[in-house]
Amino acid sequence: MTSRAWLWSLVVAALLLLSPGAWAQGKQDFTVENQTGYDISHVYVSPSDSENWGEDILGQDVLEDKAAVDIEFDRADTACKWDLMVTYADDDSNAFWRDIDLCTVSVITIRYNRKTDKSTASFR
């Protein structure tokens, strides 16, 4: 391999390592946007194959209406399918979504429709 070809290979390898896609591969970090018209008191995220919700990731905080929170995972987590549950602050009612592929989703926007009394989520 010539020195020019070797240098080109090194540049390509460095660009691949520095590209956002390379770092995001297998990464489940995401943002929850609250567009419900209500504050959310609890947010739970658990692997889809788990029977437990675990701890509230907001802790003592509240996710106010029109606000967002970033949820970060340990890089060692490899599962892509996760469940999400939120609890509304005003009446302690819950809404949940199952089997969300967090390896492909980076933003989850939660909405509430008063007419139908349904919470929905969009994923992007």
Side-chain angles (χ1 to χ4, degrees), residues 15-32:
L15 288 173
L16 285 173
L17 285 175
L18 295 176
S19 72
W23 286 106
Q25 200 167 28
K27 186 177 173 185
Q28 301 91 347
D29 295 356
F30 69 102
T31 301
V32 174

Side-chain angles (χ1 to χ4, degrees), residues 28-35 38-45 56-73 84-87 102 105-110 124:
Q28 301 91 347
D29 295 356
F30 69 102
T31 301
V32 174
E33 297 176 337
N34 180 3
Q35 299 293 324
Y38 298 94
D39 291 346
I40 293 175
S41 60
H42 300 86
V43 175
Y44 301 93
V45 180
D56 169 24
I57 60 168
L58 294 178
Q60 305 242 348
D61 295 332
V62 171
L63 180 57
E64 295 177 355
D65 181 45
K66 306 288 187 242
V69 63
D70 294 326
I71 299 172
E72 297 179 358
F73 285 73
L84 171 70
M85 181 172 67
V86 299
T87 302
L102 292 182
V105 170
S106 60
V107 178
I108 300 174
T109 303
I110 301 172
R124 61 180 202 271

